[in-house]
Amino acid sequence: MKKLVFTFISLFLLLAACQANDPDAITLVGQDNEHPIHGSDNENLTLPESEELAVDTSDIEQMNIGSEMPRLLYADNNIAVMQGTFGVVVYNMQDSIVTNRISYEQIKSYDLPMMLASVSQDGTTIFIGNDDMYNEFIYTYQYNISTRVIKKTIQQPSSLFSPITIETPGYNEEYDKYFDLHYLTADKIVELDNTFIYLRSKDWNMKNLQIVICQYEDGENKVFDVFK
């Protein structure tokens, strides 16, 4: 009994010490996956830690693509970052898994009704702002892909990654030879060495979204199912 009381007191003191060290820390628990989100007055918010089950994509099973294909924001030999009705996701092509997601539900508390997202040139940071009708691209938050921390942006980014916009697939003399035109195909690509990366889907169901790495030389494809 004494040992139990001692353990309880020790735990109480430990929790009190943690609170003293970070009095502004707030822990929120999501209803769906019950992974903690830490924040302080919405200035510094930590999204779920890097583990497979921390990224909830269960709602995407019933999600439609909408009026336009998701946009490829960034890609390199390891990851692809894209934006769509799911918000923003990071897909790890080495492990074939979604590792990060910023959903529109999560971003509500940031007063961003129309989320604008761009990625830093080095692929480490996602900058977030409000995409308004006046096209005033002002970024107010930044998200570290590695740590999953969102914090306020003190100054506007000076170097952002820019995918290449091509002519509409199906009407593109240069690129249609690489595409299977039975698929819905996005008009944003990223070129890497002798390949290019793009997004496609066999229908309007978001669960069928794919990342394709296409070889310029022979048109051979390597395909990743983003949400499967």
Side-chain angles (χ1 to χ4, degrees), residues 52-75:
E52 294 184 17
L53 295 179
V55 182
D56 181 13
T57 59
S58 58
D59 57 321
I60 293 173
E61 179 70 21
Q62 304 300 324
M63 187 179 292
N64 291 324
I65 285 178
S67 59
E68 59 183 30
M69 282 286 291
R71 293 185 294 115
L72 190 61
L73 302 179
Y74 174 89

Side-chain angles (χ1 to χ4, degrees), residues 110-134:
Y110 292 85
D111 193 27
L112 299 173
M114 295 292 291
M115 183 168 59
L116 166 73
S118 296
V119 181
S120 61
Q121 193 70 35
D122 61 4
T124 63
T125 306
I126 301 172
F127 291 93
I128 306 168
N130 185 41
D131 188 3
D132 62 27
M133 62 184 295
Y134 302 106

Side-chain angles (χ1 to χ4, degrees), residues 3 5 11 136 157-158 203 215-216:
K3 184 177 181 181
V5 172
L11 179 60
E136 295 179 0
S158 58
D203 54 31
Q215 299 281 342
Y216 273 120

Side-chain angles (χ1 to χ4, degrees), residues 142-156:
Q142 60 188 64
Y143 171 78
N144 186 299
I145 292 175
S146 177
T147 64
R148 298 188 175 194
V149 172
I150 290 180
K151 63 181 180 181
K152 285 186 176 179
T153 297
I154 299 175
Q155 61 184 20
Q156 295 301 295

Side-chain angles (χ1 to χ4, degrees), residues 8 11 34 40 69 78 96 115 118-119 124 126 128 147-148 159 163-164 168 176 183 189 194 210 224:
F8 176 79
L11 179 60
E34 297 187 353
S40 174
M69 282 286 291
N78 298 307
S96 299
M115 183 168 59
S118 296
V119 181
T124 63
I126 301 172
I128 306 168
T147 64
R148 298 188 175 194
S159 180
I164 299 170
T168 304
D176 279 355
Y183 284 76
I189 68 169
N194 62 339
Q210 295 179 329
F224 300 90

Side-chain angles (χ1 to χ4, degrees), residues 22 24-51 53-56 101-110 143 147-151:
D22 190 7
D24 294 326
I26 301 173
T27 300
L28 303 177
V29 179
Q31 294 180 351
D32 294 328
N33 53 26
E34 297 187 353
H35 287 277
I37 300 175
H38 304 283
S40 174
D41 297 329
N42 291 332
E43 293 185 3
N44 191 14
L45 182 147
T46 304
L47 294 179
E49 298 194 6
S50 298
E51 52 185 87
L53 295 179
V55 182
D56 181 13
R101 182 184 181 191
I102 308 172
S103 70
Y104 286 100
E105 185 66 26
Q106 288 171 319
I107 213 71
K108 281 181 179 179
S109 61
Y110 292 85
Y143 171 78
T147 64
R148 298 188 175 194
V149 172
I150 290 180
K151 63 181 180 181

